[in-house]
Amino acid sequence: MRFMVTQYSIYQIIMSISPTDQRFQDSEPRIHSTAKLHGCKLGRFSEIGERVLLRDVTVGDFSYFERNGEAIYTDVGRFCSIASNVRLNALEHPMERVSMHKMTYRPNEYFRFMTLDSAFRERRHNKRVTLGHDVWIGHGAVVMPGITIGHGAVIGANAVVTKDVIPYEIVGGVPAKRIRMRFPDYIIQALLDLCWWNWPLNTLYEAIPDMQQLSAEEFIAKWKKLV
């Protein structure tokens, strides 16, 4: 795929690593040339795929959007995996008005001397979507305004999320409902206490083989003594 790197003056790179450390790839965000971003902040190693549209979105370290994703007024944590065709903070229409059409909040697109409805725009802005760390959102899922998704949660493909999702919960369907929890409660709490997503790069580098080979319980038992 074709990518371009943003300029520091436009998109913020949250942290940097030594250019002499050969263990790590270039940490600058990768943005496909067909993506469109406005008012966004991107973390280290983040990746924005083909035809992704982001407006007023923060993206944490290592998180990525696959092709055709859209998000507005959203804060994405670290290590989030966002599949293609996902929509975060889906457009809200003013159902309480006589007409729900955008003519009522963006009349300037049709009529001269009329301005954008700033109150409605502020209402939308205040209903931010928040994703914790290590969240996986499946293909075609939609997350409605104001939703919070906890660390380690999974959103099934084509789900419509209309209420908050707690850490390590797996949800799916329309509207999305709990399928199961990823781990028992004691494992979940231990992972939340471990906060591996906040570890420095050196520690993550050493931990990856254990992430691949150990069970969650074994990983916690080993690494809680090392960090």
Side-chain angles (χ1 to χ4, degrees):
M1 296 196 301
R2 295 172 295 132
F3 288 91
M4 62 180 182
V5 177
T6 59
Q7 296 180 356
Y8 293 104
S9 60
I10 302 175
Y11 301 115
Q12 175 186 11
I13 297 176
I14 297 174
M15 296 176 67
S16 61
I17 60 177
S18 171
T20 61
D21 194 330
Q22 297 301 310
R23 293 176 301 167
F24 307 111
Q25 302 282 0
D26 188 340
S27 67
E28 292 189 8
R30 294 191 294 169
I31 303 176
H32 196 274
S33 60
T34 60
K36 295 183 180 180
L37 287 75
H38 178 76
C40 296
K41 295 181 180 180
L42 307 180
R44 301 174 300 169
F45 302 102
S46 56
E47 186 173 320
I48 310 300
E50 299 171 61
R51 298 179 298 279
V52 169
L53 304 177
L54 303 180
R55 182 182 179 88
D56 193 356
V57 174
T58 62
V59 181
D61 297 353
F62 294 92
S63 291
Y64 60 88
F65 279 80
E66 294 285 4
R67 62 190 180 280
N68 300 318
E70 293 187 37
I72 187 171
Y73 308 138
T74 296
D75 299 305
V76 177
R78 302 185 186 98
F79 299 95
C80 290
S81 308
I82 302 171
S84 58
N85 298 305
V86 165
R87 179 67 187 265
L88 302 180
N89 208 337
L91 181 63
E92 179 184 24
H93 288 263
M95 294 187 292
E96 74 281 2
R97 296 183 180 181
V98 171
S99 174
M100 299 178 291
H101 192 271
K102 68 177 180 178
M103 170 188 69
T104 69
Y105 53 89
R106 293 208 295 265
N108 52 302
E109 294 186 11
Y110 305 98
F111 306 106
R112 294 188 177 91
F113 318 119
M114 301 196 75
T115 60
L116 184 76
D117 185 342
S118 58
F120 182 75
R121 181 177 182 179
E122 186 67 17
R123 170 174 139 183
R124 286 277 294 127
H125 185 271
N126 290 336
K127 292 184 178 181
R128 295 186 73 84
V129 164
T130 302
L131 273 61
H133 307 304
D134 195 34
V135 171
W136 174 24
I137 300 186
H139 178 96
V142 176
V143 178
M144 300 304 289
I147 297 297
T148 295
I149 298 175
H151 305 317
V154 178
I155 310 302
N158 296 312
V160 177
V161 183
T162 60
K163 61 180 182 180
D164 291 352
V165 179
I166 65 174
Y168 292 92
E169 184 178 17
I170 303 173
V171 303
V174 181
K177 296 180 181 179
R178 178 181 294 183
I179 298 173
R180 63 180 176 86
M181 300 299 292
R182 285 181 59 195
F183 303 112
D185 288 346
Y186 74 97
I187 293 292
I188 291 172
Q189 188 56 57
L191 287 169
L192 294 174
D193 293 340
L194 201 60
C195 290
W196 62 262
W197 39 79
N198 289 332
W199 290 354
L201 290 176
N202 291 335
T203 305
L204 284 171
Y205 187 89
E206 298 299 328
I208 286 174
D210 287 339
M211 289 182 171
Q212 295 170 332
Q213 300 169 18
L214 301 182
S215 69
E217 190 167 10
E218 291 169 335
F219 183 87
I220 293 164
K222 177 178 179 177
W223 281 91
K224 70 179 180 181
K225 300 174 183 179
L226 299 176
V227 294

